Amino acid sequence: FRRQTKADSMKSIKQQAMENSYGTPLLAAFRGVQCSIQVGAPVPVNLNMRCLETFAKGIQAGKPVAKALEEVLALTTDDPARRYERTLEGGAIPGAAPVDPKKGAPPPAEGAEELLPEHTRTAYFVVGVAWQPSETEAPVTKKK
């Protein structure tokens, strides 16, 4: 224990924080979790809520974690001044035109900016196997 404390005191605070982020996925892996997404830096709560909703919808649609996270990182906003506003129930952005669920989200406008600032996009990291589908199908066997 004493040597570990000495080694930890020589590390930067940021390095210690990153190493501690792997403790949670390790414990979750013991319980059968194959993949988890961690945040390595502070992220505004409102942005994180929007990202989580987009990520959850991607997983619900059966996409792999990597693809769902890719959708999160590609989110755009038409009005950067409203980037940090809380979304309404169901993920609707206040003051925006309602989205028809049958048609899906409209394509981003020409002047649209990325929703997540650069430092926030680099804060998310994946631990585990992110390319496997969120729901695996049972193998099909033929009866003879």
Side-chain angles (χ1 to χ4, degrees):
F1 179 75
R2 190 171 185 205
R3 289 180 190 248
Q4 183 180 1
T5 305
K6 183 179 178 183
D8 283 348
S9 66
M10 297 167 67
K11 296 177 185 174
S12 69
I13 293 172
K14 189 169 186 169
Q15 185 178 1
Q16 287 179 1
M18 286 298 288
E19 288 176 356
N20 289 338
S21 298
Y22 288 107
T24 303
L26 178 64
L27 291 174
F30 289 141
R31 300 291 298 163
V33 175
Q34 294 181 353
C35 181
S36 65
I37 298 204
Q38 297 287 312
V39 180
V43 176
V45 173
N46 298 341
L47 283 178
N48 214 4
M49 288 170 55
R50 280 174 143 175
C51 292
L52 177 64
E53 187 161 352
T54 302
F55 181 77
K57 286 179 181 176
I59 294 295
Q60 185 180 16
K63 296 179 182 172
V65 172
K67 192 67 176 169
L69 185 61
E70 186 179 312
E71 287 179 2
V72 167
L73 298 177
L75 288 173
T76 59
T77 181
D78 294 332
D79 187 5
R82 302 184 84 168
R83 171 179 287 152
Y84 298 102
E85 288 186 6
R86 287 194 111 146
T87 54
L88 303 173
E89 189 174 338
I93 300 167
V99 177
D100 183 13
K102 293 179 183 175
K103 293 181 181 178
E110 250 181 66
E113 266 189 46
E114 293 175 338
L115 176 68
L116 300 174
E118 187 69 30
H119 61 83
T120 304
R121 274 188 278 136
T122 59
Y124 293 100
F125 63 95
V126 178
V127 179
V129 285
W131 56 87
Q132 290 184 344
S134 55
E135 290 292 326
T136 56
E137 295 179 17
V140 179
T141 58
K142 294 183 180 180
K143 293 183 180 181
K144 292 184 178 182

